[in-house]
Amino acid sequence: MRRLLLSLSLCIAILPTARAADDNRLWDVYAQQLKGVKYVSLSHVIAPGIPVWHGFGPSKFEPAIDPADGHAYTYAKDGFEATRYTLSTDQLGTQLDPPAHWAPEYPSIDELPASYTLRPLVVISIVDQVKQTPGYSLSVADIEAWEKRHGRIPEGAVVFVRSDWSKRWPDPALAALEHFPGVSLPALKFLHEQRHILLHGHEPLDTDDSPNLEGESWLMHHGYAQAEGVANLDQVPETGALVAIGFPRFQGGTGGYASFTAICPPDWPHGVAADPRRDAPLPRSDKSLKWDTAKGVRVR
């Protein structure tokens, strides 16, 4: 027994050293492959006046107040400021829609797995079709044409459908359009059942403009998530990029404010690269944030 304990002690002592090189492999991937990449935000800024379905109504931003005396915290008096958000819905701005939005037997936003974090990004453009028909929907033929040019869509990928609908953002009238670019039900079934993607995303705030929202209904009732309100798809390549996905885990949430960031090749003309001298500490502005009562937000 004493020999066994001694052997185990030696193994434990040696194990960290033996595994050190392997443990740092992901650091090596970052240093060698990701350090110089370009990052492009694919998410809208959330503000009180952005487009939202009339059934949810507007949201409101206010300075946070001290409940003890009702005064708003200020830099001058308290050394800090904070914001109180009265959000009309969790279906606001750029979103990650969990299936529980329509189907309570499937995961809510806090139940989505951590493996959603990083995936291959596919961008399929229907811009030309939308110019001819504003309510055009992505078809299986469009997907097959993309694959003919670029190869098969990777399993587990995120597929974003570019329509340039978001170029009019944040015009509130966008939410009232009767017809807008969509994704057809056959295309959704093809992407999930034939290509086994993680999720798809689109620029408008709904999957399609059918009377019963058939695409969204099918997705949610089959356990699939989706992205809505995606932006800046004209600034990322159709193939070869990654997408980082971030979202707050509100308990039981039926929607999610989402941050989608495209990770593009170093020589890509759009986006920003990591810069240790700029990113930390962050640069100081010559204009301070101030509360704008008319706009209902802080501005510089």
Side-chain angles (χ1 to χ4, degrees), residues 45-105:
V45 173
I46 297 177
I50 63 174
V52 64
W53 180 50
H54 67 86
F56 293 135
S59 296
K60 187 177 182 180
F61 293 9
E62 301 171 282
I65 61 172
D66 183 346
D69 58 17
H71 89 273
Y73 294 107
T74 65
Y75 295 116
K77 182 179 179 180
D78 304 290
F80 72 94
E81 292 191 5
T83 310
R84 177 180 179 178
Y85 300 105
T86 305
L87 302 174
S88 62
T89 176
D90 50 13
Q91 301 286 318
L92 190 66
T94 303
Q95 310 152 30
L96 178 59
D97 243 359
H101 179 37
W102 282 49
E105 66 272 24

Side-chain angles (χ1 to χ4, degrees), residues 41-46 50 93-94 165-167 169-170 203 205 228-232 258:
S41 173
L42 306 181
S43 298
H44 293 295
V45 173
I46 297 177
I50 63 174
T94 303
W165 179 91
S166 62
K167 285 185 175 295
W169 192 276
E203 296 179 44
L205 301 178
E228 298 191 300
V230 182
N232 299 326

Side-chain angles (χ1 to χ4, degrees), residues 94-213:
T94 303
Q95 310 152 30
L96 178 59
D97 243 359
H101 179 37
W102 282 49
E105 66 272 24
Y106 283 108
S108 55
I109 193 71
D110 56 309
E111 296 173 320
L112 297 181
S115 57
Y116 271 51
T117 300
L118 186 67
R119 295 298 176 111
L121 175 62
V122 167
V123 177
I124 301 178
S125 176
I126 56 171
V127 171
D128 291 339
Q129 296 92 319
V130 171
K131 288 178 181 177
Q132 301 298 320
T133 308
Y136 183 85
S137 290
L138 178 78
S139 68
V140 174
D142 295 323
I143 301 170
E144 292 175 334
W146 186 97
E147 290 191 322
K148 188 174 181 179
R149 295 192 305 272
H150 300 295
R152 188 181 177 92
I153 292 173
E155 184 174 332
V158 167
V159 176
F160 282 167
V161 182
R162 177 189 167 191
S163 63
D164 286 354
W165 179 91
S166 62
K167 285 185 175 295
R168 287 180 54 189
W169 192 276
D171 182 357
L174 283 172
L177 292 176
E178 184 177 352
H179 297 294
F180 50 84
V183 183
S184 71
L185 181 55
L188 292 172
K189 290 183 175 181
F190 181 86
L191 288 170
H192 283 288
E193 296 177 345
Q194 301 298 319
R195 295 299 178 261
H196 305 290
I197 68 168
L198 176 70
L199 59 89
H200 95 285
H202 45 267
E203 296 179 44
L205 301 178
D206 280 311
T207 315
D208 59 71
D209 58 14
S210 63
N212 60 350
L213 299 178

